[in-house]
C-alpha cells in the first residue's frame, strides 16, 4: 500500500473510532459527563474542593431533568472545546460565547444566558472603550474578551492570563490599568473587593451557550429541550436569582 493511502486510512480510522456518545447511549449509561473550568466565579468555581456556581447548578438541574447523573470534569478553559472533540466528555458548560469561529468546531445549545464583556478598573481608572486608549488591559487567554479588546482602537497593550482570576489579580496589583471579563463576573469581583474595583462600560454583548461535539444532534436536541423545561419550571429563575439577584436568561 502506498504511504499516502496508509496515512489517509489511518486518519479515517481514527476519525471513526472517536464517536461522541448519542443521547441514547448516555441515557443507557445513566451518566452525563460535563466539563467546565472551575475558575470563573460565580458561573463555575471551587469552594474549597467543591465545584459550584450557576453553571454547575444548572448542569446538575439539566442532568436531573434528563434522568441521569452528572459527572463533572474540570479542564483549563482553552482545552475545553478540544477535549469535546476527543470525546473526553459529552457536554461543556463554561460561559462560552457563541461565536462563528467556535461554531465551526462544536455545536452550541440555545444560549443559557445573555451577557457581555465589561471593563473593570481601580477607582479613577478607564471606564469606557475610549478611555482604554494607550492603556494596558488584562484578559483571560482564549476568550471573547481578548478578541474584542484587541479591536478597541488605540488600546495600549493587551496582556493574557491562563485564568480570569489571574487577570483580575494583575489589575488589583496595579500591573495593568483595566481588566475585561464577563459583566457578572466583574460585578461579583467589584462587590467582593469593596471599593477597590469599579465596573465601567459594556464593551460588547454575547450569548453564551453549552457545547456538544460537532454533529451530536441527539444530545443537542435533548439539552435544548431540558433547558427549555428548567426555564419554564422556575428552576432556572431560582438559580439565577440566587447567584445574580436577577434572571439572566436571553429575552
Ligand atoms: N464568555 C467568554 C468567552 O466566550 C469567556 C468565558 C470564560 N469562561 C471561563 N470558564 N473562564 O470566551
Amino acid at each position: 500500500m502506498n504511504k499516502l493511502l496508509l496515512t489517509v486510512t489511518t486518519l479515517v480510522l481514527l476519525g471513526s473510532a472517536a464517536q461522541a456518545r448519542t443521547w441514547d447511549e448516555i441515557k443507557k449509561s445513566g451518566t452525563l459527563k460535563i466539563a467546565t473550568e472551575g475558575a470563573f466565579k460565580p458561573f463555575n468555581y471551587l469552594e474549597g474542593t467543591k465545584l459550584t456556581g450557576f453553571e454547575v447548578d444548572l448542569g446538575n438541574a439539566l442532568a436531573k431533568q434528563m434522568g441521569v447523573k452528572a459527572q463533572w470534569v474540570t479542564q483549563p478553559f482553552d482545552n475545553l472545546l478540544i477535549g469535546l472533540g476527543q470525546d473526553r466528555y459529552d457536554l461543556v458548560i463554561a460561559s462560552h460565547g457563541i461565536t462563528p469561529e467556535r461554531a465551526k468546531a462544536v455545536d452550541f445549545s440555545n444560549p443559557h444566558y445573555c451577557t457581555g464583556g465589561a471593563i473593570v478598573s481601580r477607582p479613577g481608572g478607564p471606564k469606557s472603550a475610549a478611555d482604554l486608549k494607550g492603556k494596558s488591559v488584562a484578559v483571560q487567554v482564549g476568550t471573547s474578551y481578548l478578541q474584542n479588546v484587541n479591536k478597541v482602537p488605540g488600546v495600549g497593550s493587551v496582556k493574557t492570563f491562563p485564568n480570569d482570576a489571574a487577570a483580575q489579580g494583575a489589575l488589583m496589583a496595579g500591573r495593568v490599568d483595566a481588566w475585561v471579563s464577563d459583566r457578572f463576573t466583574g460585578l461579583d469581583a467589584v462587590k467582593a473587593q469593596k471599593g477597590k474595583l469599579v465596573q465601567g462600560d459594556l464593551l460588547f454583548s454575547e450569548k453564551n451557550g453549552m457545547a456538544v461535539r460537532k454533529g451530536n444532534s441527539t444530545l443537542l436536541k435533548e439539552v435544548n429541550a431540558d433547558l427549555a423545561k428548567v426555564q419554564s419550571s422556575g428552576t432556572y429563575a431560582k438559580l439565577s436569582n440566587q447567584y445574580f439577584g436577577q434572571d439572566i436568561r436571553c429575552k
Side-chain angles (χ1 to χ4, degrees), residues 33-35 71 73-75 79 82-91 213:
K33 289 188 209 153
I34 317 177
Q71 183 188 321
V73 182
T74 57
Q75 288 278 308
N79 280 352
I82 298 169
L84 202 51
Q86 298 165 338
D87 292 315
R88 293 164 67 185
Y89 28 77
D90 307 303
L91 183 71
R213 185 177 168 134

Side-chain angles (χ1 to χ4, degrees), residues 9-25:
T9 312
T10 311
L11 280 176
V12 170
L13 284 176
L14 275 177
S16 59
Q19 277 295 316
R21 298 200 303 164
T22 62
W23 163 234
D24 227 38
E25 288 164 336

Side-chain angles (χ1 to χ4, degrees), residues 109-125:
S109 70
N110 292 331
H112 61 289
Y113 71 100
C114 267
T115 186
I119 303 167
V120 178
S121 57
R122 296 182 303 276

Side-chain angles (χ1 to χ4, degrees), residues 37 39-40 44 77 94-97 102 140 142-145 206 208:
E37 183 196 26
F40 199 56
N44 59 80
F77 180 70
S95 292
H96 283 91
R102 287 173 178 161
Q140 181 180 15
T143 60
S144 53
Y145 316 129
E206 65 180 0
N208 290 359

